[in-house]
Amino acid sequence: EVQLVESGGGLVQAGGSLRLSCTASGITLDDYDIGWFRQAPGKGREPVSCLAADAVRIYYSDFVKGRFTISRDKATNTLHLQMNSLTPDDTAVYYCAVDRDWALPVMCSKGYAALRNYWGQGTQVTVSS
């Protein structure tokens, strides 16, 4: 059984940092394209950042470029998202996902985020002003 468990969220002041983790069981993350998505209150789910299985191709949404860094820890089979310079607009529930059926640009799109019908419990990130 594949399980993805997100953690690391919390309450932080604007300008602060958080590091999210997504621990996988039942699969090896190296075999998948992996990504972070988020859903803010009253809004649709959107892609944040995706990392290809080759660990070379990386996608960042424009609103996080230069602030967030996606990485994969092979030893612990965990995906991370280092988030710096957080703003209140980053307040959302953050989810991770894996896929190997779609090209990375497709996976890291609003369409994919809207159509995917399985998500974990996510981790809440709240940024106060």
Side-chain angles (χ1 to χ4, degrees):
E1 179 186 2
V2 177
Q3 273 198 320
L4 300 173
V5 179
E6 302 95 340
S7 63
L11 174 63
V12 64
Q13 288 188 326
S17 299
L18 283 173
R19 187 187 192 216
L20 305 185
S21 298
C22 171
T23 301
S25 60
I27 59 169
T28 300
L29 289 179
D30 290 2
D31 297 334
Y32 292 80
D33 293 344
I34 46 182
W36 286 98
F37 298 78
R38 71 184 188 185
Q39 186 166 20
K43 295 186 177 181
R45 193 171 279 117
E46 61 182 354
V48 175
S49 179
C50 297
L51 175 66
D54 61 17
V56 174
R57 291 170 291 138
I58 300 175
Y59 170 87
Y60 289 104
S61 292
D62 287 342
F63 54 78
V64 303
K65 282 182 180 176
R67 300 189 299 128
F68 292 9
T69 303
I70 190 171
S71 64
R72 184 179 68 200
D73 186 332
K74 296 179 66 172
T76 60
N77 204 31
T78 301
L79 176 68
H80 295 291
L81 185 69
Q82 177 65 43
M83 307 189 296
N84 299 327
S85 303
L86 286 162
T87 75
D89 288 341
D90 295 316
T91 294
V93 179
Y94 284 71
Y95 304 87
C96 60
V98 300
D99 204 293
R100 55 184 178 186
D101 295 330
W102 297 95
L104 194 69
V106 175
M107 179 188 179
C108 233
S109 69
K110 286 187 175 182
Y112 178 92
L115 292 176
R116 182 182 173 94
N117 59 14
Y118 172 76
W119 298 93
Q121 85 286 353
T123 186
Q124 174 71 49
V125 172
T126 303
V127 185
S128 62
S129 57

